[in-house]
Amino acid sequence: MVSGLVLYLFSTAFICYLTFNLRQNLATPLVWSALFWITILFTAVNSVAKSFIGEKKGRDIYYYSIANPAAIIISKILYNFLLCALLSASGYWLFFLFLGSPIHDKVVFAVLVLLTSMGFASSLTLLSSIAAKANNSTILMAVLSFPVVITILLMAIKVTKNCIDQLGWDASWDELLTLFSINCLVAAVSYLLFPYIWRS
Amino acid sequence: MVKHWWKIASILLLAYTVVAGFLMSVPRLNILNESIRALYFHVPMWFGMIVMFLVSTIYAIKYLRHPTTKNDILSVEFANTGLYFGLLGITTGMIWANYTWGSPWHGDPKQNGAAIALLVYLAYFVLRGSVDNHEQRSRLSAVYNIFAFAAMVPLIFILPRMTSSMHPGSGGNPGFNMYDLDSRMRMVFYPAVAGWILLGVWIATLRIRIRNVKERILELEDYA
C-alpha cells in the first residue's frame, strides 16, 4: 500500500517536473507551493481514505470484538499522522529533487508539515470511517473532506508563503498556533464522535 | 393565539424592518453611503444561519444520545433552513458587493469562508442522500453535522479576523462596530435580527410538520 502511494507521489512530482521543464523559470515559488499542497492533499486523502474503506469485511468485526472504539480511533489517527508526515517529507524531497525548493525557513516549514499532517490525519480518519459506512465511498470521501480540510490548507498556504519570503518565526507564529488549535479541536471531536459510528 | 405570539411578533418586526430600514435616515459613512441599509437584511441572514445550524447541531447531539426520528427530523430541517439563510446571505452580499466593491465576487476572505461553510452543509445533504438504511443515515449524518459545525467555527469566527478584509467592520473599514453603528441604526438592526431569526424558526417548524406528515403517510402505507 505504501509503495503504491510513493509511486503516486513520484509520478505527480515527475509530471510537474516534465511540465515545468518545457520552459525555464515557469515554476515560480507560489506555483511551487500550489503544486506541492495539491500533491500532498490528494496523497493524504487517498492514503487516509484507505484506513477504513480498504479494510476487509470481517476485520471490522474482529477489531470491534477485541478493542474499544477510543483505542481504535487514537491508533488510527496516530498511524495516519505518521503516514502523512512520511508522505509529506518524501513529497518534499521529490519536489526538491525535480523542481528545486524555494523554501528558505526550513525549520518553520518542517513544523508546518508536521502540523498539517496531524490535521489531515485527525480530520480525514473520522471522515473515512463515515464514508466507509456509506455506500459509494471514494467519491463521498472527497466531497466530505474537501470543506473540512480547506481550513487547514488555508493556514498551510499562508505559512508556506511566509517561509518562501523568509519572514521567520514571528510572521508564522499566529498561523501555526491556529493550525495547532484547529487540530486539537478536530481530534477531540473525532475522539468523541467515533464510538457512535463504530457501533453501527 | 397565545401559542402563536412569536409568529405575529416576527411579522410585525419584519414589517417594521422593511419600512424603517428603507425610510429612516442612516449615517453617511465613506464608501458605504446608502448601501449601509444592507445591514438590516444581509447581516441578520448570517445571524439566522448560525442560530439554525446551532439548533441543528444540538438536535444532532440529542439524536446520538436518544436516537428518535423526531430528533433526526428536527436536526435536518434546521440545517435546511440554515442553508437557505446562508444562500440568501451570500446572494444579498453579492448584490451589495456589486455596487460597493465593483464586482459580485471579490475573493474576499469573508466571502470565501462563507462559501466553504455552505459547502460543508451541502456535503451534509450529499451524505444523507447516499445512505439507504434509515437509521444508519440518521446516525452518520448526525455525526457529520457535529463535526461540520466544529470545523465551521474556526472558518467563520477565527480565520476572517486574522486576515485583512475589505468587508465593512474589519481592517479599518467603516461598518458594524460599537463606534460607528449609531443608535438610530441599532433601533432597526436589533429588531431585524430578532425578526429574521423568528421567521427562520417558523419556516423550520413548517418544514418539520410537513416532514412529520410525510413520515406518517409512509407508515400508514406500510400498514395497508
Side-chain angles (χ1 to χ4, degrees), chain A residues 17-51:
Chain A
Y17 163 70
L18 288 179
T19 316
F20 285 96
N21 207 24
L22 292 177
R23 194 190 292 166
Q24 292 295 304
N25 301 327
L26 211 59
T28 56
L30 286 182
V31 171
W32 187 95
S33 149
L35 287 174
F36 179 75
W37 286 114
I38 290 170
T39 312
I40 296 304
L41 171 68
F42 281 95
T43 319
V45 169
N46 273 335
S47 60
V48 178
K50 295 253 170 23
S51 68

mmCIF file of all heavy atoms in Angstrom, chain A residues 17-51:
data_model
loop_
_atom_site.group_PDB
_atom_site.id
_atom_site.type_symbol
_atom_site.label_atom_id
_atom_site.label_comp_id
_atom_site.label_asym_id
_atom_site.label_seq_id
_atom_site.Cartn_x
_atom_site.Cartn_y
_atom_site.Cartn_z
ATOM 1 N N TYR A 17 7.524 18.057 -12.978
ATOM 2 C CA TYR A 17 8.869 18.318 -13.498
ATOM 3 C C TYR A 17 8.849 18.387 -15.012
ATOM 4 O O TYR A 17 9.370 19.330 -15.613
ATOM 5 C CB TYR A 17 9.815 17.215 -13.011
ATOM 6 C CG TYR A 17 11.095 17.127 -13.778
ATOM 7 C CD1 TYR A 17 12.075 18.130 -13.657
ATOM 8 C CD2 TYR A 17 11.350 16.044 -14.616
ATOM 9 C CE1 TYR A 17 13.256 18.039 -14.371
ATOM 10 C CE2 TYR A 17 12.519 15.954 -15.325
ATOM 11 C CZ TYR A 17 13.471 16.946 -15.205
ATOM 12 O OH TYR A 17 14.634 16.874 -15.899
ATOM 13 N N LEU A 18 8.178 17.414 -15.641
ATOM 14 C CA LEU A 18 8.145 17.377 -17.109
ATOM 15 C C LEU A 18 7.462 18.611 -17.670
ATOM 16 O O LEU A 18 7.906 19.196 -18.647
ATOM 17 C CB LEU A 18 7.404 16.125 -17.589
ATOM 18 C CG LEU A 18 8.143 14.805 -17.395
ATOM 19 C CD1 LEU A 18 7.282 13.656 -17.884
ATOM 20 C CD2 LEU A 18 9.468 14.821 -18.131
ATOM 21 N N THR A 19 6.354 19.008 -16.987
ATOM 22 C CA THR A 19 5.611 20.168 -17.486
ATOM 23 C C THR A 19 6.443 21.437 -17.365
ATOM 24 O O THR A 19 6.531 22.222 -18.305
ATOM 25 C CB THR A 19 4.304 20.335 -16.700
ATOM 26 O OG1 THR A 19 3.720 19.056 -16.558
ATOM 27 C CG2 THR A 19 3.372 21.277 -17.392
ATOM 28 N N PHE A 20 7.041 21.615 -16.201
ATOM 29 C CA PHE A 20 7.726 22.886 -15.964
ATOM 30 C C PHE A 20 9.128 22.912 -16.532
ATOM 31 O O PHE A 20 9.805 23.922 -16.486
ATOM 32 C CB PHE A 20 7.718 23.214 -14.478
ATOM 33 C CG PHE A 20 6.376 23.668 -14.037
ATOM 34 C CD1 PHE A 20 5.474 22.795 -13.472
ATOM 35 C CD2 PHE A 20 5.980 24.977 -14.260
ATOM 36 C CE1 PHE A 20 4.217 23.216 -13.111
ATOM 37 C CE2 PHE A 20 4.726 25.403 -13.910
ATOM 38 C CZ PHE A 20 3.838 24.518 -13.332
ATOM 39 N N ASN A 21 9.548 21.771 -17.069
ATOM 40 C CA ASN A 21 10.849 21.729 -17.715
ATOM 41 C C ASN A 21 10.778 22.314 -19.115
ATOM 42 O O ASN A 21 11.795 22.653 -19.709
ATOM 43 C CB ASN A 21 11.330 20.277 -17.773
ATOM 44 C CG ASN A 21 12.826 20.211 -17.790
ATOM 45 O OD1 ASN A 21 13.485 21.133 -17.341
ATOM 46 N ND2 ASN A 21 13.363 19.130 -18.314
ATOM 47 N N LEU A 22 9.544 22.449 -19.625
ATOM 48 C CA LEU A 22 9.389 22.901 -21.005
ATOM 49 C C LEU A 22 9.888 24.331 -21.180
ATOM 50 O O LEU A 22 10.423 24.693 -22.209
ATOM 51 C CB LEU A 22 7.917 22.806 -21.433
ATOM 52 C CG LEU A 22 7.383 21.378 -21.550
ATOM 53 C CD1 LEU A 22 5.913 21.400 -21.902
ATOM 54 C CD2 LEU A 22 8.168 20.610 -22.602
ATOM 55 N N ARG A 23 9.670 25.128 -20.169
ATOM 56 C CA ARG A 23 10.183 26.493 -20.273
ATOM 57 C C ARG A 23 10.813 26.866 -18.936
ATOM 58 O O ARG A 23 10.261 26.561 -17.885
ATOM 59 C CB ARG A 23 9.051 27.463 -20.622
ATOM 60 C CG ARG A 23 9.574 28.808 -21.079
ATOM 61 C CD ARG A 23 8.468 29.829 -21.187
ATOM 62 N NE ARG A 23 7.542 29.527 -22.272
ATOM 63 C CZ ARG A 23 6.361 30.117 -22.386
ATOM 64 N NH1 ARG A 23 5.954 30.991 -21.484
ATOM 65 N NH2 ARG A 23 5.568 29.821 -23.382
ATOM 66 N N GLN A 24 11.923 27.506 -18.976
ATOM 67 C CA GLN A 24 12.623 27.858 -17.741
ATOM 68 C C GLN A 24 11.839 28.910 -16.946
ATOM 69 O O GLN A 24 11.055 29.665 -17.496
ATOM 70 C CB GLN A 24 14.016 28.422 -18.077
ATOM 71 C CG GLN A 24 14.956 27.390 -18.662
ATOM 72 C CD GLN A 24 15.295 26.300 -17.666
ATOM 73 O OE1 GLN A 24 15.771 26.596 -16.591
ATOM 74 N NE2 GLN A 24 15.036 25.053 -17.998
ATOM 75 N N ASN A 25 12.068 28.920 -15.650
ATOM 76 C CA ASN A 25 11.526 29.955 -14.755
ATOM 77 C C ASN A 25 10.005 30.025 -14.729
ATOM 78 O O ASN A 25 9.429 31.061 -14.468
ATOM 79 C CB ASN A 25 12.053 31.354 -15.126
ATOM 80 C CG ASN A 25 13.547 31.394 -15.058
ATOM 81 O OD1 ASN A 25 14.149 30.719 -14.228
ATOM 82 N ND2 ASN A 25 14.151 32.169 -15.937
ATOM 83 N N LEU A 26 9.368 28.914 -15.059
ATOM 84 C CA LEU A 26 7.914 28.934 -15.016
ATOM 85 C C LEU A 26 7.420 28.589 -13.613
ATOM 86 O O LEU A 26 6.404 29.094 -13.150
ATOM 87 C CB LEU A 26 7.366 27.933 -16.035
ATOM 88 C CG LEU A 26 6.021 28.300 -16.650
ATOM 89 C CD1 LEU A 26 6.112 29.632 -17.349
ATOM 90 C CD2 LEU A 26 5.605 27.218 -17.626
ATOM 91 N N ALA A 27 8.187 27.699 -12.946
ATOM 92 C CA ALA A 27 7.783 27.269 -11.609
ATOM 93 C C ALA A 27 8.210 28.320 -10.583
ATOM 94 O O ALA A 27 9.179 28.169 -9.860
ATOM 95 C CB ALA A 27 8.394 25.922 -11.279
ATOM 96 N N THR A 28 7.449 29.393 -10.509
ATOM 97 C CA THR A 28 7.728 30.424 -9.516
ATOM 98 C C THR A 28 7.419 29.862 -8.127
ATOM 99 O O THR A 28 6.699 28.867 -8.009
ATOM 100 C CB THR A 28 6.856 31.659 -9.775
ATOM 101 O OG1 THR A 28 5.501 31.227 -9.767
ATOM 102 C CG2 THR A 28 7.183 32.302 -11.107
ATOM 103 N N PRO A 29 7.951 30.476 -7.066
ATOM 104 C CA PRO A 29 7.725 29.947 -5.725
ATOM 105 C C PRO A 29 6.266 29.676 -5.410
ATOM 106 O O PRO A 29 5.941 28.639 -4.828
ATOM 107 C CB PRO A 29 8.284 31.047 -4.828
ATOM 108 C CG PRO A 29 9.367 31.644 -5.634
ATOM 109 C CD PRO A 29 8.927 31.577 -7.056
ATOM 110 N N LEU A 30 5.363 30.587 -5.814
ATOM 111 C CA LEU A 30 3.952 30.371 -5.471
ATOM 112 C C LEU A 30 3.355 29.202 -6.243
ATOM 113 O O LEU A 30 2.534 28.450 -5.710
ATOM 114 C CB LEU A 30 3.144 31.643 -5.703
ATOM 115 C CG LEU A 30 3.380 32.719 -4.646
ATOM 116 C CD1 LEU A 30 2.508 33.923 -4.904
ATOM 117 C CD2 LEU A 30 3.113 32.168 -3.254
ATOM 118 N N VAL A 31 3.790 29.035 -7.486
ATOM 119 C CA VAL A 31 3.338 27.881 -8.257
ATOM 120 C C VAL A 31 3.842 26.610 -7.590
ATOM 121 O O VAL A 31 3.112 25.618 -7.442
ATOM 122 C CB VAL A 31 3.851 27.974 -9.711
ATOM 123 C CG1 VAL A 31 3.567 26.681 -10.456
ATOM 124 C CG2 VAL A 31 3.208 29.132 -10.425
ATOM 125 N N TRP A 32 5.088 26.664 -7.137
ATOM 126 C CA TRP A 32 5.665 25.522 -6.417
ATOM 127 C C TRP A 32 4.803 25.165 -5.217
ATOM 128 O O TRP A 32 4.467 23.992 -5.001
ATOM 129 C CB TRP A 32 7.087 25.891 -5.963
ATOM 130 C CG TRP A 32 7.840 24.751 -5.353
ATOM 131 C CD1 TRP A 32 8.712 23.918 -5.995
ATOM 132 C CD2 TRP A 32 7.810 24.320 -3.982
ATOM 133 N NE1 TRP A 32 9.204 22.991 -5.119
ATOM 134 C CE2 TRP A 32 8.671 23.210 -3.879
ATOM 135 C CE3 TRP A 32 7.128 24.749 -2.848
ATOM 136 C CZ2 TRP A 32 8.880 22.542 -2.684
ATOM 137 C CZ3 TRP A 32 7.326 24.076 -1.658
ATOM 138 C CH2 TRP A 32 8.197 22.989 -1.572
ATOM 139 N N SER A 33 4.447 26.187 -4.449
ATOM 140 C CA SER A 33 3.648 25.955 -3.245
ATOM 141 C C SER A 33 2.303 25.334 -3.595
ATOM 142 O O SER A 33 1.857 24.368 -2.958
ATOM 143 C CB SER A 33 3.484 27.285 -2.504
ATOM 144 O OG SER A 33 2.284 27.353 -1.829
ATOM 145 N N ALA A 34 1.654 25.853 -4.652
ATOM 146 C CA ALA A 34 0.355 25.312 -5.051
ATOM 147 C C ALA A 34 0.482 23.843 -5.440
ATOM 148 O O ALA A 34 -0.275 22.986 -4.976
ATOM 149 C CB ALA A 34 -0.220 26.111 -6.217
ATOM 150 N N LEU A 35 1.487 23.551 -6.295
ATOM 151 C CA LEU A 35 1.671 22.166 -6.741
ATOM 152 C C LEU A 35 1.948 21.257 -5.561
ATOM 153 O O LEU A 35 1.388 20.164 -5.445
ATOM 154 C CB LEU A 35 2.861 22.094 -7.714
ATOM 155 C CG LEU A 35 2.633 22.669 -9.090
ATOM 156 C CD1 LEU A 35 3.933 22.658 -9.864
ATOM 157 C CD2 LEU A 35 1.583 21.865 -9.816
ATOM 158 N N PHE A 36 2.804 21.728 -4.652
ATOM 159 C CA PHE A 36 3.178 20.902 -3.506
ATOM 160 C C PHE A 36 1.957 20.555 -2.676
ATOM 161 O O PHE A 36 1.713 19.387 -2.357
ATOM 162 C CB PHE A 36 4.214 21.643 -2.661
ATOM 163 C CG PHE A 36 4.647 20.877 -1.445
ATOM 164 C CD1 PHE A 36 5.503 19.798 -1.570
ATOM 165 C CD2 PHE A 36 4.192 21.230 -0.183
ATOM 166 C CE1 PHE A 36 5.902 19.083 -0.461
ATOM 167 C CE2 PHE A 36 4.582 20.509 0.933
ATOM 168 C CZ PHE A 36 5.444 19.439 0.789
ATOM 169 N N TRP A 37 1.122 21.564 -2.363
ATOM 170 C CA TRP A 37 -0.011 21.288 -1.486
ATOM 171 C C TRP A 37 -1.093 20.471 -2.176
ATOM 172 O O TRP A 37 -1.756 19.658 -1.539
ATOM 173 C CB TRP A 37 -0.567 22.577 -0.868
ATOM 174 C CG TRP A 37 0.349 23.078 0.185
ATOM 175 C CD1 TRP A 37 1.065 24.234 0.166
ATOM 176 C CD2 TRP A 37 0.698 22.413 1.410
ATOM 177 N NE1 TRP A 37 1.841 24.331 1.297
ATOM 178 C CE2 TRP A 37 1.635 23.228 2.071
ATOM 179 C CE3 TRP A 37 0.336 21.211 1.993
ATOM 180 C CZ2 TRP A 37 2.196 22.877 3.298
ATOM 181 C CZ3 TRP A 37 0.883 20.863 3.206
ATOM 182 C CH2 TRP A 37 1.809 21.691 3.845
ATOM 183 N N ILE A 38 -1.253 20.680 -3.499
ATOM 184 C CA ILE A 38 -2.217 19.831 -4.217
ATOM 185 C C ILE A 38 -1.773 18.372 -4.133
ATOM 186 O O ILE A 38 -2.563 17.475 -3.813
ATOM 187 C CB ILE A 38 -2.336 20.275 -5.698
ATOM 188 C CG1 ILE A 38 -3.046 21.615 -5.792
ATOM 189 C CG2 ILE A 38 -3.093 19.237 -6.507
ATOM 190 C CD1 ILE A 38 -3.006 22.232 -7.162
ATOM 191 N N THR A 39 -0.473 18.169 -4.394
ATOM 192 C CA THR A 39 0.044 16.796 -4.346
ATOM 193 C C THR A 39 -0.152 16.182 -2.973
ATOM 194 O O THR A 39 -0.656 15.052 -2.839
ATOM 195 C CB THR A 39 1.545 16.795 -4.688
ATOM 196 O OG1 THR A 39 1.743 17.566 -5.856
ATOM 197 C CG2 THR A 39 2.055 15.398 -4.892
ATOM 198 N N ILE A 40 0.223 16.945 -1.930
ATOM 199 C CA ILE A 40 0.128 16.405 -0.566
ATOM 200 C C ILE A 40 -1.330 16.137 -0.204
ATOM 201 O O ILE A 40 -1.658 15.094 0.361
ATOM 202 C CB ILE A 40 0.764 17.381 0.451
ATOM 203 C CG1 ILE A 40 2.253 17.528 0.173
ATOM 204 C CG2 ILE A 40 0.551 16.890 1.871
ATOM 205 C CD1 ILE A 40 3.023 16.243 0.177
ATOM 206 N N LEU A 41 -2.222 17.067 -0.574
ATOM 207 C CA LEU A 41 -3.642 16.889 -0.222
ATOM 208 C C LEU A 41 -4.194 15.599 -0.822
ATOM 209 O O LEU A 41 -4.802 14.789 -0.133
ATOM 210 C CB LEU A 41 -4.464 18.087 -0.703
ATOM 211 C CG LEU A 41 -5.975 17.900 -0.578
ATOM 212 C CD1 LEU A 41 -6.383 17.860 0.875
ATOM 213 C CD2 LEU A 41 -6.727 19.001 -1.283
ATOM 214 N N PHE A 42 -3.934 15.400 -2.135
ATOM 215 C CA PHE A 42 -4.537 14.228 -2.760
ATOM 216 C C PHE A 42 -3.893 12.939 -2.278
ATOM 217 O O PHE A 42 -4.571 11.929 -2.111
ATOM 218 C CB PHE A 42 -4.519 14.364 -4.280
ATOM 219 C CG PHE A 42 -5.620 15.255 -4.754
ATOM 220 C CD1 PHE A 42 -5.400 16.610 -5.000
ATOM 221 C CD2 PHE A 42 -6.903 14.766 -4.878
ATOM 222 C CE1 PHE A 42 -6.436 17.441 -5.377
ATOM 223 C CE2 PHE A 42 -7.946 15.589 -5.259
ATOM 224 C CZ PHE A 42 -7.707 16.931 -5.511
ATOM 225 N N THR A 43 -2.584 12.995 -2.016
ATOM 226 C CA THR A 43 -1.955 11.796 -1.466
ATOM 227 C C THR A 43 -2.543 11.487 -0.100
ATOM 228 O O THR A 43 -2.849 10.325 0.214
ATOM 229 C CB THR A 43 -0.435 12.005 -1.328
ATOM 230 O OG1 THR A 43 0.032 12.699 -2.472
ATOM 231 C CG2 THR A 43 0.284 10.687 -1.212
ATOM 232 N N ALA A 44 -2.722 12.539 0.718
ATOM 233 C CA ALA A 44 -3.255 12.331 2.069
ATOM 234 C C ALA A 44 -4.672 11.773 2.001
ATOM 235 O O ALA A 44 -4.999 10.809 2.705
ATOM 236 C CB ALA A 44 -3.233 13.629 2.858
ATOM 237 N N VAL A 45 -5.518 12.373 1.151
ATOM 238 C CA VAL A 45 -6.897 11.885 1.051
ATOM 239 C C VAL A 45 -6.903 10.421 0.627
ATOM 240 O O VAL A 45 -7.588 9.582 1.206
ATOM 241 C CB VAL A 45 -7.719 12.750 0.066
ATOM 242 C CG1 VAL A 45 -9.052 12.086 -0.242
ATOM 243 C CG2 VAL A 45 -7.958 14.123 0.647
ATOM 244 N N ASN A 46 -6.065 10.098 -0.378
ATOM 245 C CA ASN A 46 -6.008 8.714 -0.846
ATOM 246 C C ASN A 46 -5.531 7.758 0.229
ATOM 247 O O ASN A 46 -6.077 6.677 0.395
ATOM 248 C CB ASN A 46 -5.064 8.609 -2.048
ATOM 249 C CG ASN A 46 -5.811 8.888 -3.327
ATOM 250 O OD1 ASN A 46 -7.016 8.696 -3.381
ATOM 251 N ND2 ASN A 46 -5.106 9.340 -4.332
ATOM 252 N N SER A 47 -4.484 8.171 0.954
ATOM 253 C CA SER A 47 -3.899 7.236 1.915
ATOM 254 C C SER A 47 -4.803 7.070 3.130
ATOM 255 O O SER A 47 -5.030 5.959 3.592
ATOM 256 C CB SER A 47 -2.518 7.697 2.335
ATOM 257 O OG SER A 47 -2.603 8.959 2.939
ATOM 258 N N VAL A 48 -5.336 8.180 3.648
ATOM 259 C CA VAL A 48 -6.145 8.082 4.861
ATOM 260 C C VAL A 48 -7.488 7.418 4.557
ATOM 261 O O VAL A 48 -8.016 6.677 5.387
ATOM 262 C CB VAL A 48 -6.329 9.469 5.503
ATOM 263 C CG1 VAL A 48 -7.199 9.369 6.733
ATOM 264 C CG2 VAL A 48 -4.989 10.044 5.880
ATOM 265 N N ALA A 49 -8.012 7.650 3.348
ATOM 266 C CA ALA A 49 -9.286 7.031 2.985
ATOM 267 C C ALA A 49 -9.199 5.522 3.102
ATOM 268 O O ALA A 49 -10.157 4.854 3.467
ATOM 269 C CB ALA A 49 -9.668 7.423 1.567
ATOM 270 N N LYS A 50 -8.010 4.991 2.815
ATOM 271 C CA LYS A 50 -7.820 3.543 2.879
ATOM 272 C C LYS A 50 -8.000 3.002 4.286
ATOM 273 O O LYS A 50 -8.266 1.822 4.467
ATOM 274 C CB LYS A 50 -6.415 3.188 2.388
ATOM 275 C CG LYS A 50 -6.184 3.495 0.937
ATOM 276 C CD LYS A 50 -6.137 2.235 0.121
ATOM 277 C CE LYS A 50 -6.150 2.486 -1.368
ATOM 278 N NZ LYS A 50 -5.694 3.781 -1.823
ATOM 279 N N SER A 51 -7.836 3.866 5.306
ATOM 280 C CA SER A 51 -7.756 3.346 6.666
ATOM 281 C C SER A 51 -9.042 2.650 7.087
ATOM 282 O O SER A 51 -9.000 1.741 7.890
ATOM 283 C CB SER A 51 -7.391 4.451 7.655
ATOM 284 O OG SER A 51 -8.444 5.353 7.761
#
